Amino acid sequence: MSDRKQINDFYNYLKLEEKEQSTIEKYLSEIQNFILWLGERSITKNIIFEWKEYLCQSNYQASTINAKLSILNKFLCFMGMSEYKVKYLKIQKKLFCSTEKELKKEEYERLLKIANSEGKMRLSLLIETICATGIRVSEVKYITVKAIQIGRADISLKGKIRTILLPNKLCKKLIRYAKKQNIISGEIFLTRNKKGISRRQIWAEMKALCKKANVAPSKVFPHNLRHLFARTFYRVYKDVSKLADVLGHSNINTTRIYLISTGIEHTERMEKLGLIL
């Protein structure tokens, strides 16, 4: 197969589907890995089975393998080879999540405290903005001067537009920050070169706080702030449908994944059953 041409055509196809650039890059990376593994062989059903087996033997988590297979299936459909699509691994629904990865509110507060003590105001406000609104890291660009002035941000992503309400206290903080940084229009969170801050930079700056904040690095990444928002929102309002709307989820089952309790919480509930005499 003509690797370069197929990759370019697939790229254009994903663009037409209005996929986020970060999503497109992930798709292309996975397909390039598959093509590299494929070598000079032709695609057949048996070859696809071999790829699935290869992934299963590579110490990936089942969810990661299914994500890779999903991308490959999409590529196969694009290539007119839908008959070669492979089934996903069956995964038992999780009853609880690992405590090693759950960011607690007190840990979140320690991260903010360290960021502020080190004069990292942009980072502190960025962490607060993601955690107080539940936005994705790719949606940070929609936090603009106009948005903080009117108290809401209109986010366009994945072919959908949703409105996020910004807490008044947060808006006041961001207005003061924008004024201090002489930002009079456009995005609030900018680099020194006045460009939008990247996902990678946000990740790196957050990780740099871990040691002093005494928070495990495995817990500190932008999406975990979104999870903390979701859990906190649900504890207060007990409305998963509303939460799904706020997070921008089309499928409410995706939202439920955010609300899985920790192993400790699950154990406490089991103890309350009173079945051990």
Side-chain angles (χ1 to χ4, degrees):
M1 60 190 295
S2 176
D3 301 351
R4 185 182 297 274
K5 184 179 186 306
Q6 299 297 348
I7 290 292
N8 287 339
D9 289 347
F10 190 50
Y11 171 84
N12 292 329
Y13 169 72
L14 295 173
K15 290 287 286 185
L16 288 174
E17 282 201 334
E18 298 183 348
K19 298 288 187 186
E20 283 285 302
Q21 186 60 35
S22 58
T23 300
I24 292 176
E25 290 173 2
K26 177 176 176 60
Y27 275 45
L28 296 184
S29 176
E30 292 295 344
I31 296 305
Q32 286 170 338
N33 288 338
F34 169 73
I35 290 175
L36 183 63
W37 172 87
L38 182 66
E40 299 298 323
R41 294 173 293 176
S42 299
I43 295 178
T44 64
K45 189 71 173 179
N46 285 336
I47 285 292
I48 300 301
F49 284 149
E50 285 184 30
W51 172 248
K52 180 178 179 180
E53 185 63 26
Y54 167 76
L55 293 176
C56 290
Q57 295 177 358
S58 299
N59 295 322
Y60 290 117
Q61 292 187 356
S63 57
T64 301
I65 292 173
N66 281 347
K68 291 176 181 291
L69 294 177
S70 176
I71 292 172
L72 179 59
N73 281 345
K74 189 173 188 68
F75 180 68
L76 291 172
C77 288
F78 165 74
M79 294 280 290
M81 299 179 175
S82 56
E83 69 272 20
Y84 296 150
K85 287 171 60 178
V86 66
K87 292 182 179 179
Y88 304 127
L89 300 178
K90 292 182 179 180
I91 305 175
Q92 182 180 357
K93 184 178 179 181
K94 281 188 175 182
L95 295 177
F96 53 87
C97 65
S98 169
T99 55
E100 285 78 15
K101 290 187 177 181
E102 182 193 9
L103 182 68
K104 297 178 181 178
K105 187 179 178 183
E106 54 266 32
E107 293 172 325
Y108 157 72
E109 291 172 349
R110 292 208 300 271
L111 291 170
L112 289 178
K113 184 177 180 180
I114 293 300
N116 286 322
S117 69
E118 295 185 349
K120 298 177 179 179
M121 186 55 62
R122 182 189 64 186
L123 178 58
S124 173
L125 287 173
L126 184 52
I127 292 173
E128 272 193 301
T129 298
I130 295 175
C131 199
T133 61
I135 61 174
R136 301 176 177 89
V137 67
S138 60
E139 297 171 339
V140 167
K141 62 185 178 184
Y142 293 101
I143 306 300
T144 63
V145 171
K146 180 179 179 181
I148 63 176
Q149 288 173 342
I150 63 178
R152 70 175 187 271
D154 294 321
I155 293 176
S156 176
L157 190 68
K158 298 184 178 180
K160 298 178 293 185
I161 297 177
R162 79 182 194 282
T163 299
I164 291 295
L165 299 179
L166 306 175
N168 185 53
K169 188 175 180 180
L170 175 65
C171 288
K172 288 180 178 179
K173 282 187 171 186
L174 292 175
I175 287 172
R176 287 197 298 269
Y177 173 78
K179 186 175 182 180
K180 187 175 181 180
Q181 299 297 319
N182 196 30
I183 302 172
I184 58 177
S185 65
E187 297 179 44
I188 295 295
F189 298 108
L190 302 172
T191 64
R192 293 179 180 178
N193 297 324
K194 302 300 180 182
K195 295 182 179 180
I197 190 168
S198 69
R199 178 194 305 259
R200 182 175 298 178
Q201 186 171 351
I202 294 172
W203 182 296
E205 290 187 10
M206 285 182 64
K207 292 289 186 184
L209 300 174
C210 294
K211 188 173 183 179
K212 289 185 178 180
N214 192 29
V215 181
S218 61
K219 296 184 177 185
V220 182
F221 50 93
H223 200 70
N224 236 10
L225 298 172
R226 182 167 155 90
H227 277 258
L228 177 56
F229 167 85
R231 293 194 304 273
T232 306
F233 184 100
Y234 186 74
R235 286 193 189 108
V236 174
Y237 297 108
K238 302 296 183 182
D239 189 337
V240 70
S241 295
K242 180 63 177 177
L243 176 58
D245 290 338
V246 173
L247 294 175
H249 289 159
S250 299
N251 189 334
I252 201 169
N253 288 326
T254 303
T255 311
R256 288 195 174 100
I257 293 173
Y258 284 53
L259 305 178
I260 296 174
S261 61
T262 65
I264 294 174
E265 292 170 331
H266 183 71
T267 300
E268 289 175 349
R269 290 171 184 170
M270 298 292 283
E271 295 284 356
K272 290 179 180 179
L273 296 177
L275 296 175
I276 305 299
L277 302 181

PDB file of all heavy atoms in Angstrom, residues 250-270:
ATOM      1  N   SER A 250     -21.932  13.190  25.088  1.00  0.00           N
ATOM      2  CA  SER A 250     -23.113  12.759  24.342  1.00  0.00           C
ATOM      3  C   SER A 250     -23.726  11.515  24.977  1.00  0.00           C
ATOM      4  O   SER A 250     -24.936  11.294  24.907  1.00  0.00           O
ATOM      5  CB  SER A 250     -22.736  12.456  22.883  1.00  0.00           C
ATOM      6  OG  SER A 250     -22.231  13.602  22.247  1.00  0.00           O
ATOM      7  N   ASN A 251     -22.865  10.686  25.576  1.00  0.00           N
ATOM      8  CA  ASN A 251     -23.303   9.435  26.180  1.00  0.00           C
ATOM      9  C   ASN A 251     -23.173   9.535  27.698  1.00  0.00           C
ATOM     10  O   ASN A 251     -22.080   9.762  28.222  1.00  0.00           O
ATOM     11  CB  ASN A 251     -22.453   8.276  25.651  1.00  0.00           C
ATOM     12  CG  ASN A 251     -22.989   6.921  26.069  1.00  0.00           C
ATOM     13  OD1 ASN A 251     -23.667   6.784  27.087  1.00  0.00           O
ATOM     14  ND2 ASN A 251     -22.697   5.904  25.271  1.00  0.00           N
ATOM     15  N   ILE A 252     -24.268   9.357  28.395  1.00  0.00           N
ATOM     16  CA  ILE A 252     -24.260   9.503  29.850  1.00  0.00           C
ATOM     17  C   ILE A 252     -23.398   8.435  30.522  1.00  0.00           C
ATOM     18  O   ILE A 252     -22.913   8.618  31.639  1.00  0.00           O
ATOM     19  CB  ILE A 252     -25.706   9.453  30.392  1.00  0.00           C
ATOM     20  CG1 ILE A 252     -25.767  10.102  31.791  1.00  0.00           C
ATOM     21  CG2 ILE A 252     -26.255   8.029  30.424  1.00  0.00           C
ATOM     22  CD1 ILE A 252     -27.178  10.329  32.278  1.00  0.00           C
ATOM     23  N   ASN A 253     -23.168   7.318  29.834  1.00  0.00           N
ATOM     24  CA  ASN A 253     -22.308   6.275  30.395  1.00  0.00           C
ATOM     25  C   ASN A 253     -20.864   6.755  30.531  1.00  0.00           C
ATOM     26  O   ASN A 253     -20.125   6.300  31.402  1.00  0.00           O
ATOM     27  CB  ASN A 253     -22.361   5.016  29.523  1.00  0.00           C
ATOM     28  CG  ASN A 253     -23.687   4.282  29.650  1.00  0.00           C
ATOM     29  OD1 ASN A 253     -24.283   4.269  30.724  1.00  0.00           O
ATOM     30  ND2 ASN A 253     -24.162   3.703  28.570  1.00  0.00           N
ATOM     31  N   THR A 254     -20.454   7.670  29.633  1.00  0.00           N
ATOM     32  CA  THR A 254     -19.122   8.269  29.748  1.00  0.00           C
ATOM     33  C   THR A 254     -19.020   9.063  31.037  1.00  0.00           C
ATOM     34  O   THR A 254     -18.011   9.012  31.748  1.00  0.00           O
ATOM     35  CB  THR A 254     -18.848   9.192  28.549  1.00  0.00           C
ATOM     36  OG1 THR A 254     -18.991   8.457  27.338  1.00  0.00           O
ATOM     37  CG2 THR A 254     -17.443   9.783  28.622  1.00  0.00           C
ATOM     38  N   THR A 255     -20.084   9.779  31.364  1.00  0.00           N
ATOM     39  CA  THR A 255     -20.113  10.582  32.585  1.00  0.00           C
ATOM     40  C   THR A 255     -20.033   9.686  33.820  1.00  0.00           C
ATOM     41  O   THR A 255     -19.355  10.017  34.788  1.00  0.00           O
ATOM     42  CB  THR A 255     -21.410  11.416  32.646  1.00  0.00           C
ATOM     43  OG1 THR A 255     -21.593  12.086  31.406  1.00  0.00           O
ATOM     44  CG2 THR A 255     -21.351  12.433  33.765  1.00  0.00           C
ATOM     45  N   ARG A 256     -20.707   8.556  33.764  1.00  0.00           N
ATOM     46  CA  ARG A 256     -20.721   7.640  34.914  1.00  0.00           C
ATOM     47  C   ARG A 256     -19.320   7.115  35.232  1.00  0.00           C
ATOM     48  O   ARG A 256     -19.009   6.828  36.389  1.00  0.00           O
ATOM     49  CB  ARG A 256     -21.673   6.474  34.642  1.00  0.00           C
ATOM     50  CG  ARG A 256     -23.143   6.874  34.685  1.00  0.00           C
ATOM     51  CD  ARG A 256     -24.041   5.647  34.784  1.00  0.00           C
ATOM     52  NE  ARG A 256     -25.435   6.025  34.962  1.00  0.00           N
ATOM     53  CZ  ARG A 256     -26.341   6.048  33.978  1.00  0.00           C
ATOM     54  NH1 ARG A 256     -25.984   5.693  32.753  1.00  0.00           N
ATOM     55  NH2 ARG A 256     -27.587   6.393  34.217  1.00  0.00           N
ATOM     56  N   ILE A 257     -18.486   6.989  34.198  1.00  0.00           N
ATOM     57  CA  ILE A 257     -17.109   6.534  34.416  1.00  0.00           C
ATOM     58  C   ILE A 257     -16.374   7.510  35.342  1.00  0.00           C
ATOM     59  O   ILE A 257     -15.554   7.110  36.177  1.00  0.00           O
ATOM     60  CB  ILE A 257     -16.364   6.405  33.069  1.00  0.00           C
ATOM     61  CG1 ILE A 257     -16.983   5.265  32.245  1.00  0.00           C
ATOM     62  CG2 ILE A 257     -14.876   6.153  33.288  1.00  0.00           C
ATOM     63  CD1 ILE A 257     -16.433   5.164  30.835  1.00  0.00           C
ATOM     64  N   TYR A 258     -16.688   8.805  35.216  1.00  0.00           N
ATOM     65  CA  TYR A 258     -16.052   9.820  36.044  1.00  0.00           C
ATOM     66  C   TYR A 258     -16.448   9.689  37.515  1.00  0.00           C
ATOM     67  O   TYR A 258     -15.763  10.215  38.399  1.00  0.00           O
ATOM     68  CB  TYR A 258     -16.453  11.224  35.571  1.00  0.00           C
ATOM     69  CG  TYR A 258     -15.779  11.717  34.317  1.00  0.00           C
ATOM     70  CD1 TYR A 258     -15.792  10.961  33.146  1.00  0.00           C
ATOM     71  CD2 TYR A 258     -15.154  12.953  34.277  1.00  0.00           C
ATOM     72  CE1 TYR A 258     -15.189  11.415  31.989  1.00  0.00           C
ATOM     73  CE2 TYR A 258     -14.551  13.416  33.117  1.00  0.00           C
ATOM     74  CZ  TYR A 258     -14.575  12.640  31.977  1.00  0.00           C
ATOM     75  OH  TYR A 258     -13.975  13.111  30.832  1.00  0.00           O
ATOM     76  N   LEU A 259     -17.560   9.010  37.775  1.00  0.00           N
ATOM     77  CA  LEU A 259     -18.128   8.989  39.117  1.00  0.00           C
ATOM     78  C   LEU A 259     -17.857   7.704  39.881  1.00  0.00           C
ATOM     79  O   LEU A 259     -18.388   7.505  40.966  1.00  0.00           O
ATOM     80  CB  LEU A 259     -19.649   9.222  39.035  1.00  0.00           C
ATOM     81  CG  LEU A 259     -20.064  10.498  38.295  1.00  0.00           C
ATOM     82  CD1 LEU A 259     -21.587  10.595  38.233  1.00  0.00           C
ATOM     83  CD2 LEU A 259     -19.471  11.735  38.963  1.00  0.00           C
ATOM     84  N   ILE A 260     -17.026   6.824  39.307  1.00  0.00           N
ATOM     85  CA  ILE A 260     -16.698   5.569  39.984  1.00  0.00           C
ATOM     86  C   ILE A 260     -15.994   5.874  41.309  1.00  0.00           C
ATOM     87  O   ILE A 260     -15.072   6.687  41.368  1.00  0.00           O
ATOM     88  CB  ILE A 260     -15.782   4.695  39.108  1.00  0.00           C
ATOM     89  CG1 ILE A 260     -16.527   4.281  37.830  1.00  0.00           C
ATOM     90  CG2 ILE A 260     -15.340   3.448  39.860  1.00  0.00           C
ATOM     91  CD1 ILE A 260     -15.650   3.539  36.840  1.00  0.00           C
ATOM     92  N   SER A 261     -16.431   5.223  42.365  1.00  0.00           N
ATOM     93  CA  SER A 261     -15.840   5.462  43.683  1.00  0.00           C
ATOM     94  C   SER A 261     -14.469   4.805  43.781  1.00  0.00           C
ATOM     95  O   SER A 261     -14.105   3.966  42.969  1.00  0.00           O
ATOM     96  CB  SER A 261     -16.756   4.895  44.774  1.00  0.00           C
ATOM     97  OG  SER A 261     -16.904   3.492  44.614  1.00  0.00           O
ATOM     98  N   THR A 262     -13.726   5.187  44.811  1.00  0.00           N
ATOM     99  CA  THR A 262     -12.408   4.589  45.027  1.00  0.00           C
ATOM    100  C   THR A 262     -12.571   3.228  45.701  1.00  0.00           C
ATOM    101  O   THR A 262     -13.640   2.890  46.220  1.00  0.00           O
ATOM    102  CB  THR A 262     -11.542   5.479  45.928  1.00  0.00           C
ATOM    103  OG1 THR A 262     -12.138   5.533  47.230  1.00  0.00           O
ATOM    104  CG2 THR A 262     -11.432   6.884  45.373  1.00  0.00           C
ATOM    105  N   GLY A 263     -11.491   2.458  45.727  1.00  0.00           N
ATOM    106  CA  GLY A 263     -11.512   1.161  46.379  1.00  0.00           C
ATOM    107  C   GLY A 263     -11.848   1.275  47.858  1.00  0.00           C
ATOM    108  O   GLY A 263     -12.552   0.440  48.419  1.00  0.00           O
ATOM    109  N   ILE A 264     -11.354   2.334  48.489  1.00  0.00           N
ATOM    110  CA  ILE A 264     -11.617   2.539  49.919  1.00  0.00           C
ATOM    111  C   ILE A 264     -13.098   2.780  50.150  1.00  0.00           C
ATOM    112  O   ILE A 264     -13.716   2.202  51.051  1.00  0.00           O
ATOM    113  CB  ILE A 264     -10.783   3.728  50.455  1.00  0.00           C
ATOM    114  CG1 ILE A 264      -9.292   3.393  50.398  1.00  0.00           C
ATOM    115  CG2 ILE A 264     -11.198   4.079  51.875  1.00  0.00           C
ATOM    116  CD1 ILE A 264      -8.388   4.550  50.780  1.00  0.00           C
ATOM    117  N   GLU A 265     -13.700   3.652  49.321  1.00  0.00           N
ATOM    118  CA  GLU A 265     -15.130   3.941  49.449  1.00  0.00           C
ATOM    119  C   GLU A 265     -15.969   2.687  49.204  1.00  0.00           C
ATOM    120  O   GLU A 265     -16.965   2.450  49.880  1.00  0.00           O
ATOM    121  CB  GLU A 265     -15.531   5.044  48.465  1.00  0.00           C
ATOM    122  CG  GLU A 265     -14.945   6.403  48.807  1.00  0.00           C
ATOM    123  CD  GLU A 265     -15.146   7.416  47.688  1.00  0.00           C
ATOM    124  OE1 GLU A 265     -15.206   6.997  46.507  1.00  0.00           O
ATOM    125  OE2 GLU A 265     -15.233   8.607  47.989  1.00  0.00           O
ATOM    126  N   HIS A 266     -15.550   1.906  48.207  1.00  0.00           N
ATOM    127  CA  HIS A 266     -16.278   0.674  47.885  1.00  0.00           C
ATOM    128  C   HIS A 266     -16.208  -0.316  49.057  1.00  0.00           C
ATOM    129  O   HIS A 266     -17.206  -0.951  49.419  1.00  0.00           O
ATOM    130  CB  HIS A 266     -15.688   0.033  46.632  1.00  0.00           C
ATOM    131  CG  HIS A 266     -16.419  -1.192  46.178  1.00  0.00           C
ATOM    132  ND1 HIS A 266     -17.674  -1.143  45.610  1.00  0.00           N
ATOM    133  CD2 HIS A 266     -16.082  -2.510  46.221  1.00  0.00           C
ATOM    134  CE1 HIS A 266     -18.078  -2.368  45.321  1.00  0.00           C
ATOM    135  NE2 HIS A 266     -17.126  -3.215  45.678  1.00  0.00           N
ATOM    136  N   THR A 267     -15.025  -0.415  49.689  1.00  0.00           N
ATOM    137  CA  THR A 267     -14.860  -1.305  50.834  1.00  0.00           C
ATOM    138  C   THR A 267     -15.745  -0.872  51.996  1.00  0.00           C
ATOM    139  O   THR A 267     -16.374  -1.707  52.675  1.00  0.00           O
ATOM    140  CB  THR A 267     -13.384  -1.328  51.287  1.00  0.00           C
ATOM    141  OG1 THR A 267     -12.567  -1.793  50.207  1.00  0.00           O
ATOM    142  CG2 THR A 267     -13.197  -2.245  52.490  1.00  0.00           C
ATOM    143  N   GLU A 268     -15.828   0.450  52.231  1.00  0.00           N
ATOM    144  CA  GLU A 268     -16.656   0.969  53.323  1.00  0.00           C
ATOM    145  C   GLU A 268     -18.124   0.621  53.102  1.00  0.00           C
ATOM    146  O   GLU A 268     -18.852   0.285  54.050  1.00  0.00           O
ATOM    147  CB  GLU A 268     -16.475   2.491  53.429  1.00  0.00           C
ATOM    148  CG  GLU A 268     -15.110   2.894  53.970  1.00  0.00           C
ATOM    149  CD  GLU A 268     -14.893   4.397  53.949  1.00  0.00           C
ATOM    150  OE1 GLU A 268     -15.720   5.107  53.325  1.00  0.00           O
ATOM    151  OE2 GLU A 268     -13.904   4.861  54.545  1.00  0.00           O
ATOM    152  N   ARG A 269     -18.572   0.695  51.839  1.00  0.00           N
ATOM    153  CA  ARG A 269     -19.953   0.350  51.532  1.00  0.00           C
ATOM    154  C   ARG A 269     -20.211  -1.140  51.764  1.00  0.00           C
ATOM    155  O   ARG A 269     -21.289  -1.529  52.247  1.00  0.00           O
ATOM    156  CB  ARG A 269     -20.265   0.715  50.077  1.00  0.00           C
ATOM    157  CG  ARG A 269     -20.319   2.225  49.845  1.00  0.00           C
ATOM    158  CD  ARG A 269     -20.413   2.542  48.369  1.00  0.00           C
ATOM    159  NE  ARG A 269     -20.358   3.995  48.152  1.00  0.00           N
ATOM    160  CZ  ARG A 269     -20.219   4.554  46.955  1.00  0.00           C
ATOM    161  NH1 ARG A 269     -20.139   3.785  45.871  1.00  0.00           N
ATOM    162  NH2 ARG A 269     -20.183   5.867  46.835  1.00  0.00           N
ATOM    163  N   MET A 270     -19.228  -1.960  51.422  1.00  0.00           N
ATOM    164  CA  MET A 270     -19.372  -3.408  51.633  1.00  0.00           C
ATOM    165  C   MET A 270     -19.450  -3.732  53.123  1.00  0.00           C
ATOM    166  O   MET A 270     -20.205  -4.592  53.549  1.00  0.00           O
ATOM    167  CB  MET A 270     -18.183  -4.139  51.004  1.00  0.00           C
ATOM    168  CG  MET A 270     -18.068  -3.966  49.484  1.00  0.00           C
ATOM    169  SD  MET A 270     -19.405  -4.766  48.579  1.00  0.00           S
ATOM    170  CE  MET A 270     -18.869  -6.465  48.679  1.00  0.00           C
TER     171      MET A 270
END
